[in-house]
Each structure stands twice: as structure tokens, then as C-alpha cells.
Amino acid sequence: MTATIRVAAAPISWGVCEVPGWGRVLDAATVLGEMAALGVQATELGPPGYLPRDPAELRELLGKYGLRLVGGFLAVVLHENQQQALEEAEESAALFAACGGDVLVLAAATGLDGYDDRPKLTDTEWATLVGTAGMIRDIAAAHGLRTVLHPHVGTHVEQQDEVERFLADSDLGLCLDTGHLMIGGTDPVELAKRYPERVGHVHLKDVREDLAAEVRAGRLGYTDAVGRGLYTPLGEGDVDVASMVRSVQAAGYDGWYVLEQDTALGEESPDDLPRRDTGRSLAHLAKITDSL
């Protein structure tokens, strides 16, 4: 029996990232057009400024390609400057809701550019982080959105002990990002089994463990690792994607599975590389769902 799951994409799979100097950025018409050509029916928003921030313009653009909006990623500093974080969350939540989104994917940014350095937080700063996340949850809920916390490399919730601490201190659900969790030292399959009720959103990635181990040990920067092929099409890396999907499906998860293969396009990278890799991931995911 074939299960029906909701699959979306994200511009980061086409190399579109908020980090300065990340790589070559393809235009929105190319990215959205290739999503549609692959049969994807929804997308996350991508970094601020890539797609229109005016709701009417964004709805018109997505509609042109037959895409709906899942929601979007919001990386803000949660441990200080609380009012600024809340204002950014209000603006993003209003936009996501106005365009049909249903989830705000929150990350605890450090305030530094990129994802290669992480200052250590004090206990007071951590408490502020948790409290601000809860306030953002309430802001999003007022717009009809769910909020999930995204454990992410280079943020203040990255490593396994930080993920566990956040789960203990907050009632927010998690974005189960199979790649970032694995790079941070958390087995995403085991996490999903232990906390099925906390899985509020899923980002599907596959990862080369040899490069992930170098990042984890501090011998290789995250950005450099991405450029060396840290992320692979689903089924070609070391994440047990099939077991993770089966686990969350068995627990009753009915949200989106967002394909996110973080890509950095160099000047020599073929323009069709993201489309080909995403197509391979979609084919592998189809085999998994055929077996459910």
C-alpha cells in the first residue's frame, strides 16, 4: 500500500541562502519553475528578500507556478534584544499567514554572520532564549501558525545536549531536520522515536557522515563542508531516511516533508545540478512511500 505524504521544497536546495558569500544564486523564476516541473506543489519561503515580502505579490508569484506556501525559516537572536526578535517574528508570521502558510520554522541565531562560530550562552541568556521562543510561538499562533524550533548547525540549539535541554525547558515542537541533527550529533531516527509528540515539521536531508564528523570535531567549517558535498540526494548519504519517515508516519505525523539539500553553487557548478539532485531525492522518497 502506498502512503500519501505532503512533500514540499525550499530555495536552499537551489543554493539560495541568507549567508553572505554563500555562492551563486539562481533567479526566482528558475527556482520556482524547476520546483513546479519536478511536480512539487509547495515551498518554504527562503531567505528574506529573495521572494517578495508583499503578500499580494508573493501570492501572485507562487500562483504562477502552481505552488502554495508552507511557511518559512526565521533565524533570529533569541537570547538578547528580545523586542527586535518579536518584531521580526510578527512581520514574518503575518506574511506567512497572509499567503496560506501554516508553520514558522524558528532558529536560535547567534547574531554572527554564517554558521561557523557559536559563542557560549550563560544560563540567563539560555532562559531568555527559551522565553523569547515562547513569545514568538504566541505571536505566530495569533496568526493561525504553528511554531517549531529548528536545531541548526551554527545556532544555539545545535548539539545533542542543547536539543535535549530545549525539549525539557520549552513546550515548542521541533523541526526534525535529519541533516542538521546528525551533524550536531543527534540521531534523528532515535529522536523521532523518543519524542514523537514533539515532531512538528520535517526537513529531509541526507548527509555524508565523514564530512559531518569533521564539522562536529571542529576540523572543518560548515560552509566549507557544504561546498565539498556534505549534503547528498536522499538515499546517497548516511542518514536512515526511510526509518525516520516510517517512524514519524507510524506516530501519526501528517505535516509537510520539506526537501532541503543545502547547496552552494560555485561559478563552475552546472545550473541544472539542483534540479537533478532534487529529482533524485524525490525518486528515493517515492520508493519509501511505496513501501509504507
Side-chain angles (χ1 to χ4, degrees):
M1 177 178 170
T2 301
T4 299
I5 66 174
R6 296 193 292 165
V7 180
I12 186 62
S13 293
W14 275 260
V16 182
C17 183
E18 69 278 4
V19 176
W22 180 262
R24 189 162 53 89
V25 177
L26 300 176
D27 62 88
T30 297
V31 172
L32 299 179
E34 291 187 357
M35 286 183 187
L38 288 167
V40 174
Q41 297 181 333
T43 182
E44 286 192 8
L45 185 60
Y50 182 66
L51 296 180
R53 300 295 286 187
D54 176 78
E57 290 181 31
L58 181 57
R59 287 194 299 266
E60 180 180 3
L61 179 62
L62 294 178
K64 178 180 177 181
Y65 297 97
L67 296 168
R68 63 162 291 186
L69 184 70
V70 171
F73 180 66
L74 178 66
V76 291
V77 176
L78 300 176
H79 63 280
E80 60 184 14
N81 300 326
Q82 190 175 76
Q83 188 57 41
Q84 180 178 339
L86 299 181
E87 289 172 1
E88 291 185 43
E90 172 64 37
E91 192 271 338
S92 288
L95 174 63
F96 299 165
C99 296
D102 58 22
V103 61
L104 187 154
V105 182
L106 181 65
T110 62
L112 304 176
D113 287 338
Y115 295 113
D116 291 318
D117 297 305
R118 293 194 325 139
K120 186 174 177 59
L121 295 184
T122 65
D123 287 345
T124 299
E125 289 173 325
W126 176 267
T128 300
L129 181 156
V130 172
T132 307
M135 292 178 187
I136 289 175
R137 172 204 57 213
D138 294 343
I139 288 171
H143 289 280
L145 302 177
R146 296 176 297 106
T147 299
V148 291
L149 191 283
H150 187 337
H152 193 293
V153 172
T155 70
H156 287 303
V157 184
E158 171 193 308
Q159 298 173 2
Q160 185 171 10
D161 61 334
E162 295 160 348
V163 175
E164 298 283 351
R165 186 180 183 184
F166 188 84
L167 285 167
D169 292 351
S170 172
D171 61 0
L172 265 70
L174 289 184
C175 172
L176 190 75
D177 185 301
T178 54
H180 283 283
L181 284 167
M182 184 173 178
I183 297 164
T186 299
D187 183 331
V189 178
E190 289 304 311
L191 187 71
K193 289 178 179 177
R194 288 191 293 118
Y195 299 102
E197 75 285 355
R198 302 296 291 273
V199 178
H201 193 53
V202 175
H203 282 174
L204 286 179
K205 294 180 173 72
D206 209 342
V207 173
R208 285 178 51 187
E209 171 56 25
D210 59 335
L211 291 177
E214 293 293 298
V215 174
R216 206 177 296 130
R219 293 188 292 267
L220 180 65
Y222 176 71
T223 304
D224 289 340
V226 173
R228 288 172 54 180
L230 174 65
Y231 296 106
T232 73
L234 299 186
E236 299 178 23
D238 296 296
V239 176
D240 191 349
V241 177
S243 291
M244 196 284 300
V245 171
R246 293 189 188 105
S247 177
V248 296
Q249 284 291 113
Y253 178 75
D254 62 358
W256 290 97
Y257 291 85
V258 182
L259 290 176
E260 273 204 339
Q261 297 155 235
D262 293 22
T263 299
L265 294 178
E267 291 303 319
E268 305 301 320
S269 302
D271 283 355
D272 67 344
L273 178 64
R275 178 185 57 77
R276 288 189 281 113
D277 282 355
T278 303
R280 284 151 66 184
S281 287
L282 286 166
H284 183 73
L285 186 56
K287 291 179 182 178
I288 294 172
T289 55
D290 283 347
S291 68
L292 293 177

